[in-house]
Amino acid sequence: GAVVSQHPSRVICKSGTSVKIECRSLDFQATTMFWYRQFPKQSLMLMATSNEGSKATYEQGVEKDKFLINHASLTLSTLTVTSAHPEDSSFYICSAVGGHNRETQYFGPGTRLLVL
Amino acid sequence: AQKITQTQPGMFVQEKEAVTLDCTYDTSDPSYGLFWYKQPSSGEMIFLIYQGSYDQQNATEGRYSLNFQKARKSANLVISASQLGDSAMYFCAMREGRMNYGQNFVFGPGTRLSVLP
């Protein structure tokens, strides 16, 4: 149980395009999902908290118009990187809380984004 | 101030031996949760073990155990009988306050463990 998927696993795009990343909880309902960004050899940095049916809560310094989050259902949250630039290249990873173990965040496998 | 400190950026251990990864935390909230995650080179974050602040016993999950010293605010991870597949980054994390769905974790900087054959 507690499986979280993320799609795509890798994406390469041109500067100026938008990229959508999906995060799905496969076997439980996730009332809350979190989006993180991780630079090489660094820890996870929380970008935003996504609650089903409400607006996401963004961490300080994270542009909400740049990183659009939609938590449309109890099993799906999406992160859209709008007008991507090379500095947005990073590893993006989501997590979900819910199901039988409400204490733990279960993570997706992550998405490596490269903006050319 | 750092909420989660992992003082060992890198650790080496011989296969089949035990290893302890250090984690200290800082919180004034009496209710909190402590977690350890493993991140192999593939990038996925794998949940290993959880300890609640009110838990009387140290948490154990297979070869993983958490040495919880509340007064010292430490939550060290002990891996027994190390295997080559244990080579990875290990992150300690804390959730402050009583559990609800909306609380985020604070992650430590991580420790890279290398298991030697």
Side-chain angles (χ1 to χ4, degrees), chain A residues 31-32 34 36 38 42-44 46 49 51 59 91 93 97-99 101-109 112, chain B residues 33 35 37 39 41-45 47 50 89 91 95 99-105 107-110 112:
Chain A
T31 51
T32 301
F34 301 92
Y36 294 86
Q38 187 180 28
Q42 293 190 22
S43 188
L44 279 70
L46 180 68
T49 303
N51 293 296
E59 294 300 299
F91 186 64
I93 190 166
V97 177
N101 185 345
R102 296 179 296 168
E103 287 284 357
T104 302
Q105 289 187 26
Y106 293 96
F107 284 82
R112 295 192 186 277
Chain B
F35 303 79
Y37 287 87
Q39 188 178 42
S41 56
S42 58
E44 60 187 311
M45 291 283 284
F47 166 69
Y50 162 77
M89 280 290 286
F91 291 98
R95 181 215 75 238
M99 179 275 297
N100 69 49
Y101 291 111
Q103 288 163 313
N104 62 286
F105 289 6
F107 284 86
R112 179 166 295 282

